[in-house]
Amino acid sequence: MCELLGMSANVPTDICFSFAGFLHRGGGTGPHRDGWGIAFYEEGGYREFRDPHPSVDSPIARLICDYPIKSNVVISHIRQANVGGVTLANTHPFTREMWGRPWCYAHNGQLSDWQPLPLGVYTPVGSTDSEHAFCWLMSELRRAFPTPPDEQAPLWQTLHGLCERLRTLGVFNLLLSDGTYLYTYCSTKLAHITRAAPFGEAELSDAELTVNFAEHTTPNDIVSVIATEPLTHNEHWCRMQPGELLVWRDGCIQARYLSQA
């Protein structure tokens, strides 16, 4: 299975510390050697790096660690291929435009009988179940909401229902963002932590690295990190429930939807 990493913050924040531990799982402390990617939303723009090689050995991954890109929303993925070859086209995260915004998506899991999912205006570039599911999901959202909704709750409820349908096809853990909101959906495994004042020290589980966040933050900062498995061993991470959708903005949970099954 692949692994996911996401961040939502109320101020532009770099993800260097979390990413330093995460990249070691891509062929170092974990078996996810089949590519990796990371996307940043910055001041209304979008920046993305993808590489079909193991992140632990990737010069591009080292660049991300050394170049502190500051963003309010980040989505990252390391891949262990199940469906589709090890190619750049099959490397997450995937991106599509809707309502004049870039929507970024990454998926952890494997689906069965996904080919019949009907596609609308969005079609895959690669050959993965993940990208096909993304194109179906985006097409369904656009069909339900041809223009941006005035109220967000109907969109969130629709998204939760679509994720619930995809969960019936297999394992479907998701990170999705339009640059304002970060959506996290748990099928089997996702954990999150919110860091706010008073800040303390954190120690990575996958690398020998410790940071004192009090030295790099202000009392008003709020930063939430979401990952397939907790990245630190000295902090309390909250595990999401199967079928749970969380909506994040500025580091805080805006809405929670639970499975009715």
Side-chain angles (χ1 to χ4, degrees):
M1 292 282 185
C2 308
E3 291 208 20
L4 302 172
L5 170 65
M7 184 190 78
S8 173
N10 68 338
V11 293
T13 304
D14 74 68
I15 200 171
C16 295
F17 174 73
S18 295
F19 185 70
F22 187 64
L23 70 85
H24 279 278
R25 298 180 179 180
T29 58
H32 314 87
R33 301 187 56 84
D34 301 323
W36 68 276
I38 190 168
F40 303 87
Y41 287 92
E42 306 170 66
E43 299 179 346
Y46 177 85
R47 190 192 316 230
E48 178 185 287
F49 301 86
R50 294 190 296 158
D51 187 354
H53 301 101
S55 59
V56 71
D57 300 322
S58 171
I60 304 175
R62 290 196 294 272
L63 167 68
I64 302 301
C65 289
D66 295 337
Y67 180 33
I69 299 171
K70 294 187 180 297
S71 173
N72 290 81
V73 178
V74 177
I75 288 178
S76 186
H77 179 276
I78 50 176
R79 184 175 184 231
Q80 185 178 12
N82 293 307
V83 179
V86 181
T87 65
L88 184 61
N90 289 335
T91 304
H92 304 225
F94 302 111
T95 313
R96 295 295 188 276
E97 178 275 335
M98 185 165 69
W99 309 325
R101 309 174 201 164
W103 286 67
C104 176
Y105 156 102
H107 163 229
N108 161 29
Q110 186 173 0
L111 305 177
S112 60
D113 299 324
W114 50 272
Q115 295 90 342
L117 290 171
L119 301 177
V121 296
Y122 300 101
T123 56
V125 175
S127 56
T128 64
D129 53 344
S130 299
E131 189 182 14
H132 189 106
F134 177 41
C135 290
W136 172 80
L137 187 151
M138 291 294 292
S139 295
E140 290 295 301
L141 285 178
R142 191 157 197 164
R143 182 179 61 81
F145 303 96
T147 59
D150 295 330
E151 300 293 332
Q152 294 299 311
L155 171 66
W156 299 344
Q157 293 165 356
T158 300
L159 175 60
H160 183 241
L162 296 173
C163 290
E164 288 281 84
R165 180 175 171 187
L166 288 169
R167 184 163 72 110
T168 66
L169 302 181
V171 177
F172 187 73
N173 300 297
L174 162 141
L175 299 183
L176 176 72
S177 181
D178 65 349
T180 300
Y181 297 98
L182 173 66
Y183 304 98
T184 62
Y185 177 79
C186 177
S187 170
T188 54
K189 288 194 299 184
L190 271 180
H192 58 88
I193 186 170
T194 297
R195 300 184 178 115
F199 292 93
E201 286 193 350
E203 300 175 0
L204 289 176
S205 301
D206 298 88
E208 293 184 4
L209 184 62
T210 300
V211 66
N212 183 356
F213 287 111
E215 299 174 355
H216 305 278
T217 55
T218 74
N220 297 321
D221 293 358
I222 302 173
V223 181
S224 292
V225 177
I226 302 92
T228 300
E229 291 287 355
L231 294 165
T232 58
H233 58 75
N234 67 323
E235 298 179 293
H236 175 68
W237 290 68
C238 299
R239 293 192 179 272
M240 292 180 61
Q241 302 177 38
E244 181 180 13
L245 174 74
L246 295 178
V247 181
W248 303 82
R249 182 173 184 176
D250 296 335
C252 298
I253 296 173
Q254 305 296 305
R256 173 184 282 108
Y257 296 89
L258 300 175
S259 176
Q260 301 302 312

